[in-house]
């Protein structure tokens, strides 16, 4: 079995990395292993886990800031925030369960290393947007910091945000500092039923063009909607188009009325109250409508919102594919039948023509080893990407191959 | 002021100036060049006017392709380049050097595409910040970052400095409002970073590029987010006897779960000057004034302002006044946004830009008074209180060299204080030359090395805005080594 290194302090991680450099050994970097089945698999000499780098180091509710060691479970962070009626602004999603890993294992380091943003991204911003600073150890065994604990900070290059989405290939994050926000007092959801995908996206983008601060804009076509745990919606037997409003109670009800009036031509929506709304969006956030299955592969497509339905329709011409649209159509979770290339050729062609990026989230290890998991890079981007890898990790020991072969 | 040292200019480019002018004229046309002394003088400084240096020449390209040709030429000939927008930098970010070509994008200001359904606009970066909002206002949209200089400053400069503004408490700063960039690297390569989607896979080059102060490349186009404006907005003013009470009130508002669009703070000297200028109705008998603005429908605004008044009550404000109408709202903001100009009418001032954790406010304000008092200088404080960004304006006499030196020394002491209490050197103005030598107060040599390696990836010959941002002693080995390795002059 591969040796597992479990540093409990930054200096310990530094000395472990230094030793790996000396011994010319490579390392797979994990938190609590929640994302081990997502992305490309890493074949490394040892595993380094941040699981023992754990605990909050700063929480100032009135300054909306928190710091935590990177291995702290996301669930612990959210529990602590909940005590003060606060939350993470970007509603992080956990790709663990849909890729066959246990639920609730995701660490806060993993959230930022993969920029795992949920539905609120459309108005609230992404994980990357709310990162204020971090500490990390790079492949040179150097401990460094970037950013800080204050909201506005343009001191030097923004290396901290530059590390979000790098999947542990540049440095091992040891501590993150991020912005938090108050939980909204009330939530309401408008549910339009029976709309085809293109019309649904029209509703969603129109709603986002109103002043009512829609904080969730998703569309679940009929077959996928039947999987919802929320019985009232699952049993509707129809496609569901969802618009979330969050604010003080009076403002939510006022905005519901105004938004409904602005969207009158699309019919009369069902209205979900705070409790039902929260249950629904929590369910969507957990990706439980995309349960792990060996019979299907899962793609995550980021595109211009109005192009989402076209991309899906184009792919559906060549295979049976089921979609779930978030971000008003700009994020498509696409389930396709298991195949040798997970439908890669068709998916990438459909996306390339219309602009966007496709990431293969779930597929067998063999498929993920042979098919490009992340969108292939253009030559100039690849040149800069390789340059960054060399700058942070010249010996190529950290999570080599996790995103792209040989990087 | 002349405490910040710049390296000796290279003699080579100065001797070859006429050849360089002819070469560039062949590449992009003589009309795009400014080489006469009077013309160049307009570019010898930026808004940090204490520092001046005549550039070798100025190029005003009209397209990304022109920028590519110019940079490639500079790369092949080891010529330093100073990227420039409108030259409103307060930190010397656009200060030229005698051996450098100023590449100014101000002629590239077209709006290329506005996509309301997807809420994006693609523009050339020479456009002014306010012109973007101006274009989309007819449909009720706006571009959120709103630096005080928004009438004049370019998007290019906003991208370089990751500019904020009074309303970024709710809407974020530049990096939160940009989805894609077209950047030209020093070797002429044109790179598309990000795009029109809400996220892009791979390393977050967008984050590195935004706020990079012209160190990595020249950004010629950007895809920015445009947002639908709120139904309405209204500010209220809360006056307090003591700075700490105002600070505690800000904490209480945020602690109650209300995030206003803006919370601005002014101290007594700033209030007096801004009131004389704008006639906004600021209370003159208070030590600290908060301008708190909320957004929404009329009923939402009324409800939020009532809640804030209630939260403020235990802090015994000396005055509470809700803006009566649109006219007063405009004057309240005009006074605040004109603060720098208004203070400039009574004295020369040196504007600082540190950020601090809100809890440290009382301590920091006391120390700022002591620091400035110690140098025999007066200070007015303006503060984006919601996000901790502090703008002490140190009043001094620009014609008195001694006063100059004291203002700079007081400024440095204040910034060190900001770092000491857990904040940073600059919240939105950037490092430039002004805070370059203070970077080692905030960052270790390793932290700086990590950043400088990023520059080397994008700009291996260290030709772009070199000798800024990073302390000269730290960057010297790279600048020296790279000079040696750079291709010989043509």
């Amino acid at each position: 079995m591969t040796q597992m290194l479990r540093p409990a302090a930054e200096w310990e991680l530094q000395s472990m990395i230094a030793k790996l450099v000396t011994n010319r050994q490579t390392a797979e970097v994990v938190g609590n292993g929640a994302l081990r089945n997502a992305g490309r698999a890493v074949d490394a000499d040892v595993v380094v886990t941040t699981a023992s780098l754990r605990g909050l180091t700063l929480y100032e509710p009135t300054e909306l800031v928190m710091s935590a060691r990177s291995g702290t479970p996301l669930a612990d962070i959210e529990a602590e925030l909940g005590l003060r009626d606060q939350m993470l602004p970007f509603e992080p999603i956990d790709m663990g369960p849909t890729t066959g890993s246990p639920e609730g294992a995701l660490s806060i380091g993993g959230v930022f290393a993969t920029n795992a943003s949920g539905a609120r991204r459309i108005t609230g911003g992404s994980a990357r947007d709310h990162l204020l600073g971090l500490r990390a150890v790079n492949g040179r065994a150097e401990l460094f910091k970037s950013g800080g604990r204050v909201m506005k900070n343009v001191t030097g290059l923004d290396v901290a945000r530059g590390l979000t989405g790098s999947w542990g290939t540049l440095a091992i994050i040891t501590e993150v500092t991020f912005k938090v926000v108050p939980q909204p007092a009330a939530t309401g959801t408008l549910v339009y039923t029976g709309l085809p995908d293109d019309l649904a996206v029209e509703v969603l983008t129109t709603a986002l063009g109103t002043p009512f601060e829609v904080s969730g804009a998703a569309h679940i076509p009929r077959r996928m909607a039947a999987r919802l745990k929320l019985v009232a919606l699952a049993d509707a037997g129809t496609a569901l188009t969802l618009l979330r409003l969050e604010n003080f109670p009076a403002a939510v009800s006022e905005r519901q009325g105004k938004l409904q009036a602005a969207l009158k031509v699309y019919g009369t929506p069902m209205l979900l109250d705070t409790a039902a709304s929260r249950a629904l969006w929590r369910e969507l956030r957990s990706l439980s409508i995309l349960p792990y299955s060996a019979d299907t592969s899962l793609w995550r497509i980021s595109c211009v919102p109005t192009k989402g339905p076209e991309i899906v329709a184009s792919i559906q011409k060549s295979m049976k594919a089921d979609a779930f649209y978030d971000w008003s159509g700009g994020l498509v979770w696409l389930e396709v039948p298991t195949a040798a290339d997970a439908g890669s050729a068709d998916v990438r062609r459909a996306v390339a023509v219309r602009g966007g990026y496709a990431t293969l989230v779930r597929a067998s290890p063999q498929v993920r080893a042979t098919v490009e998991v992340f969108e292939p890079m253009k030559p100039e981007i690849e040149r800069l990407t390789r340059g960054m890898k060399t700058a942070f990790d010249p010996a190529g020991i950290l999570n080599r191959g996790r995103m792209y072969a040989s990087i | 002021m002349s405490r910040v040292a710049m390296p000796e200019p290279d003699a080579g480019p100065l001797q070859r100036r006429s050849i360089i002018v002819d070469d560039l004229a062949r590449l992009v046309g003589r009309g795009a060049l400014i080489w006469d002394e009077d013309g160049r003088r307009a570019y010898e400084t930026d808004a940090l006017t204490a520092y001046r240096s005549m550039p070798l020449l100025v190029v005003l390209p009209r397209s990304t392709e022109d920028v590519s040709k110019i940079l490639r030429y500079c790369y092949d000939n080891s010529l330093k380049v100073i990227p420039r927008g409108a030259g409103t930098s307060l930190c010397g970010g656009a200060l030229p050097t005698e051996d450098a070509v100023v590449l100014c994008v101000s002629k590239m200001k077209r709006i290329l595409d506005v996509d309301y359904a997807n809420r994006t606009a693609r523009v050339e970066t020479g456009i002014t910040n306010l012109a973007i909002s101006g274009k989309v206002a007819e449909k009720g949209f706006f571009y959120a970052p709103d630096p005080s200089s928004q009438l004049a400053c370019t998007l290019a400069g906003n991208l370089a400095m990751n500019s904020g503004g009074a309303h970024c408490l709710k809407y974020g700063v530049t990096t939160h409002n940009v989805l894609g960039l077209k950047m030209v690297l020093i070797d002429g390569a044109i790179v598309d970073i990000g795009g029109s989607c809400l996220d892009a896979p791979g390393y977050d080059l967008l984050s590195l590029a935004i706020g990079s102060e012209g160190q990595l490349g020249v950004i010629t186009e950007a895809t920015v987010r445009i947002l639908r404006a709120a139904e309405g907005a209204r500010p209220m003013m809360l006056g307090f006897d003591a700075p700490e009470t105002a600070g505690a009130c800000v904490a209480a508002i945020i602690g109650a779960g209300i995030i206003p669009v803006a919370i601005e703070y002014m101290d007594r000297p700033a209030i007096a000057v801004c009131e004389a200028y704008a006639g906004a109705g600021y209370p003159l008998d208070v030590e600290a004034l908060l301008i708190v603005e909320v957004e929404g429908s009329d009923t939402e605004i009324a409800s939020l302002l009532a809640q804030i008044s209630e939260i403020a009550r235990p802090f015994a404000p000396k005055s509470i006044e809700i803006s009566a109408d649109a006219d007063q709202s405009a004057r309240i903001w005009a006074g605040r946004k004109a603060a720098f100009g208004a203070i400039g009418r009574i004295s020369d001032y040196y504007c600082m830009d540190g950020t601090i954790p809100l809890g440290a406010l009382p301590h920091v304000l006391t120390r700022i008074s002591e620091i400035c008092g110690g140098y025999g200088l007066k200070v007015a404080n303006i503060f984006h209180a919601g996000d901790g960004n502090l703008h002490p304006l140190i009043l001094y006499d620009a014609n008195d060299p001694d006063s100059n030196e004291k203002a700079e020394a007081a400024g440095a002491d204040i910034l060190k204080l900001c770092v000491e209490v857990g904040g940073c050197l600059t919240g939105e103005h950037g490092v430039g030359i002004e805070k370059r030598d203070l970077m080692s107060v905030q960052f270790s040599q390793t932290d700086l090395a990590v950043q400088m390696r990023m520059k080397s990836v994008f700009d291996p010959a260290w030709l772009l805005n070199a000798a800024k941002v990073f302390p000269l002693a730290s960057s010297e080995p790279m600048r020296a080594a790279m000079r040696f390795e750079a291709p010989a002059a043509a």
Side-chain angles (χ1 to χ4, degrees):
Chain A
M1 197 174 153
T2 318
Q3 188 193 357
M4 179 84 90
L5 304 178
R6 202 178 255 279
E10 286 170 338
W11 66 264
E12 197 181 358
L13 174 60
Q14 266 186 286
S15 68
M16 285 169 175
I17 300 292
K19 208 166 156 193
L20 292 176
V21 174
T22 309
N23 297 343
R24 296 172 181 273
Q25 284 183 300
T26 57
E28 179 183 358
V29 182
V30 301
N32 298 312
L35 301 172
R36 251 183 138 172
N37 298 319
R40 294 180 88 249
V42 173
D43 181 18
D45 301 321
V46 302
V47 176
V48 178
T49 170
T50 57
S52 295
L53 293 166
R54 200 165 163 154
L56 300 188
T57 49
L58 172 83
Y59 182 24
E60 290 286 356
T62 59
E63 291 177 17
L64 305 175
V65 61
M66 181 181 262
S67 304
R69 295 199 180 87
S70 57
T72 312
L74 175 61
D76 291 6
I77 301 236
E78 299 203 301
E80 188 69 29
L81 287 168
L83 296 176
R84 299 292 199 122
D85 293 325
Q86 294 192 331
M87 63 179 190
L88 292 170
F90 49 89
E91 215 173 359
I93 50 150
D94 181 356
M95 293 193 295
T98 194
T99 51
S101 295
E103 203 177 325
L106 188 60
S107 67
I108 192 68
V111 168
F112 287 102
T114 59
N115 191 20
S117 318
R120 207 173 273 111
R121 195 268 172 266
I122 45 168
T123 40
S126 60
R128 166 257 191 213
D129 286 346
H130 294 94
L131 182 71
L132 300 176
L134 56 71
R135 296 166 64 85
V137 175
N138 62 17
R140 299 170 187 254
E142 294 169 339
L143 173 66
F144 65 93
K145 67 169 182 300
S146 171
R149 59 165 284 195
V150 288
M151 301 295 156
K152 274 167 88 177
N153 183 351
V154 296
T155 322
L157 295 182
D158 196 349
V159 173
R161 286 200 180 92
L163 286 176
T164 55
S166 64
W167 288 70
T169 59
L170 298 177
I172 302 178
I173 299 171
T174 57
E175 185 178 316
V176 283
T177 301
F178 45 90
K179 188 180 172 183
V180 301
V181 291
Q183 284 178 11
T187 305
T189 305
L190 277 65
V191 184
Y192 292 84
T193 53
L195 298 177
D197 295 2
D198 52 352
L199 206 55
V201 166
E202 191 178 303
V203 170
L204 300 177
T205 54
T206 305
L208 281 167
T210 68
F212 309 121
E213 299 178 314
V214 170
S215 73
H219 173 67
I220 316 177
R222 185 179 52 83
R223 276 203 300 272
M224 197 83 80
R227 299 179 188 172
L228 283 168
K229 288 180 195 142
L230 214 70
V231 178
L233 292 179
D235 287 355
T238 176
L240 305 169
T241 306
L242 313 166
L243 291 166
R244 177 173 62 183
L245 295 167
E246 296 174 303
N247 216 302
F248 293 97
V252 168
S253 57
E254 181 183 335
R255 289 176 181 207
Q256 262 177 353
K258 287 181 175 173
L259 185 56
Q260 203 174 323
L263 300 173
K264 205 169 61 186
V265 293
Y266 300 103
T268 307
M270 285 190 273
L271 298 179
L272 302 187
D273 64 11
T274 294
S277 291
R278 286 191 180 154
L280 170 65
W281 291 95
R282 198 161 44 234
E283 194 182 336
L284 296 181
R285 186 186 153 186
S286 74
L287 298 179
S288 61
I289 59 169
L290 302 165
Y292 173 77
S293 162
D295 300 329
T296 57
S297 293
L298 183 66
W299 288 87
R300 179 187 184 280
I301 299 169
S302 180
C303 60
V304 171
T306 50
K307 298 283 184 192
E310 261 183 58
I311 290 172
V312 171
S314 162
I315 296 167
Q316 281 170 335
K317 282 181 195 158
S318 47
M319 67 189 86
K320 178 179 175 295
D322 282 315
F324 156 41
Y325 300 83
D326 201 346
W327 299 357
S328 74
L331 175 63
V332 182
W333 296 93
L334 192 77
E335 215 179 64
V336 301
T338 298
D341 75 339
S344 173
D346 292 314
V347 170
R348 294 219 182 277
R349 192 178 316 114
V351 172
V353 173
R354 292 160 188 90
Y357 318 96
T359 307
L360 180 57
V361 172
R362 186 208 316 140
S364 70
Q366 296 79 1
V367 173
R368 283 183 288 123
T370 51
V371 172
E372 286 280 6
V373 165
F374 290 92
E375 189 73 26
M377 293 180 281
K378 290 185 179 145
E380 289 305 334
I381 297 288
E382 180 168 348
R383 176 165 69 124
L384 294 172
T385 299
R386 288 188 184 278
M388 281 179 68
K389 175 71 175 178
T390 305
F392 278 94
D393 179 23
I397 59 171
L398 299 178
N399 255 359
R400 190 185 175 94
R402 188 79 166 92
M403 299 181 77
Y404 307 99
S406 85
I407 291 181
Chain B
M1 295 184 204
S2 54
R3 292 185 336 121
V4 176
M6 294 299 277
E8 280 297 308
D10 291 345
L14 290 166
Q15 289 157 4
R16 287 185 284 131
R17 202 156 74 87
S18 62
I19 301 169
I20 294 166
V21 168
D22 289 343
D23 286 349
L24 283 172
R26 269 192 295 278
L27 287 175
V28 296
R30 209 160 274 275
L33 305 181
I34 296 173
W35 69 92
D36 64 298
E37 188 164 337
D38 285 350
R40 282 184 288 142
R41 193 166 298 287
Y43 296 86
E44 68 175 357
T45 187
D46 56 18
L48 188 68
T49 51
Y51 292 88
R52 287 167 197 273
S53 172
M54 281 286 261
L56 187 65
L57 76 150
V58 179
V59 198
L60 297 156
R62 291 191 176 270
S63 69
T64 300
E65 290 65 35
D66 279 357
V67 173
S68 168
K69 286 180 203 163
I70 294 161
L71 290 181
R72 180 74 215 188
Y73 175 82
C74 293
Y75 180 68
D76 287 341
N77 292 280
S78 301
L79 281 173
K80 297 194 185 82
V81 179
I82 309 289
R84 182 182 175 106
T88 57
S89 171
L90 288 161
C91 67
L95 177 76
T97 51
E98 287 173 48
D99 54 357
V101 174
V102 166
L103 195 165
C104 180
V105 296
S106 61
K107 300 268 188 217
M108 298 177 59
K109 52 188 179 188
R110 288 178 302 159
I111 291 173
L112 303 170
D113 182 40
V114 179
D115 182 346
Y116 289 105
N118 294 303
R119 301 186 302 151
T120 57
R122 194 161 59 86
V123 299
E124 290 182 332
T125 54
I127 192 169
T128 61
N129 171 293
L130 202 57
I132 304 173
S133 288
K135 168 72 181 176
V136 298
E138 55 178 5
K139 302 261 189 183
F141 283 73
F142 71 112
Y143 172 63
D146 63 337
S148 295
S149 57
Q150 66 186 148
L151 185 62
C153 64
T154 60
L155 181 63
N158 293 176
L159 292 163
M161 296 302 175
N162 191 15
S163 304
H167 292 80
C168 60
L169 180 56
K170 176 171 176 186
Y171 293 110
V173 297
T174 302
T175 198
H176 303 118
N177 288 283
V178 174
L179 297 176
L181 299 175
K182 194 179 280 295
M183 184 188 240
V184 188
L185 304 184
I186 187 68
D187 65 359
I190 299 169
V191 189
D192 286 307
I193 296 173
S196 309
C197 309
L198 281 174
D199 69 6
Y203 294 161
D204 197 337
L205 303 176
L206 199 63
S207 291
L208 290 173
I210 297 171
S212 64
E213 303 203 16
Q215 296 285 318
L216 304 186
V218 175
I219 302 170
T220 57
E221 284 179 23
T223 302
V224 301
R225 301 183 75 187
I226 51 171
L227 305 178
R228 178 64 193 257
E231 286 179 273
R234 192 175 304 162
M236 72 185 294
M237 300 186 287
L238 295 157
F240 296 90
D241 265 339
E244 46 266 49
T245 328
C249 183
V250 171
I253 294 168
I254 292 172
I258 298 173
I259 308 281
V261 200
I263 308 181
E264 294 291 295
Y265 173 105
M266 288 196 255
D267 68 1
R268 185 188 274 267
I271 297 166
V273 175
C274 293
E275 177 61 20
Y277 178 84
Y282 299 151
L284 294 169
D285 58 343
V286 299
E287 292 302 320
L289 172 68
L290 295 178
I291 301 172
V292 183
E293 181 162 86
V294 298
E295 287 184 341
S297 68
D298 286 345
T299 48
E300 287 166 11
I301 287 172
S303 154
L304 278 170
L305 292 179
Q307 282 184 60
I308 292 169
S309 303
E310 206 49 48
I311 292 165
R313 206 169 299 281
F315 301 96
K318 276 193 85 173
S319 67
I320 297 188
E321 187 183 348
I322 289 174
S323 166
D325 50 33
D327 179 55
Q328 192 186 5
S329 301
R331 276 182 291 124
I332 289 172
W333 277 114
R336 167 58 191 88
K337 289 213 169 188
F340 294 179
I343 288 169
R345 297 202 308 177
I346 59 158
S347 168
D348 299 312
Y349 68 84
Y350 183 38
C351 176
M352 309 311 298
D353 174 47
T355 306
I356 56 165
L358 186 60
L361 179 63
H363 168 67
V364 168
L365 288 177
T366 308
R367 285 288 299 129
I368 287 176
S369 296
E370 289 169 6
I371 288 168
C372 293
Y375 288 99
L377 297 169
K378 291 194 170 130
V379 62
N381 283 295
I382 289 167
F383 184 38
H384 301 300
D387 43 37
N389 189 197
L390 194 61
H391 294 310
L393 304 176
I394 304 169
L395 310 185
Y396 76 107
D397 178 0
N399 294 316
D400 173 1
D402 181 49
S403 180
N404 265 318
E405 291 230 352
K406 283 179 175 165
E408 279 204 351
D413 288 354
I414 290 171
L415 294 183
K416 286 178 193 163
L417 169 68
C418 292
V419 174
E420 208 174 280
V421 300
C424 65
L425 296 172
T426 171
E428 56 186 359
H429 294 173
V431 177
I433 58 161
E434 187 204 16
K435 292 148 218 136
R436 184 193 69 195
D437 297 338
L438 291 169
M439 286 288 274
S440 42
V441 175
Q442 185 173 333
F443 293 112
S444 71
Q445 283 306 310
T446 307
D447 301 338
L448 290 172
V450 166
Q451 294 183 30
M452 290 191 294
R453 283 183 207 127
M454 291 299 97
K455 175 167 174 64
S456 295
V457 169
F458 284 77
D459 177 23
W462 278 64
L463 293 173
L464 285 164
N465 234 8
K468 296 181 185 171
V469 181
F470 304 108
L472 288 189
S474 307
S475 66
E476 172 59 25
M478 301 199 178
R479 285 182 292 117
M482 296 309 170
R483 250 200 318 275
F484 179 71
E485 284 176 16

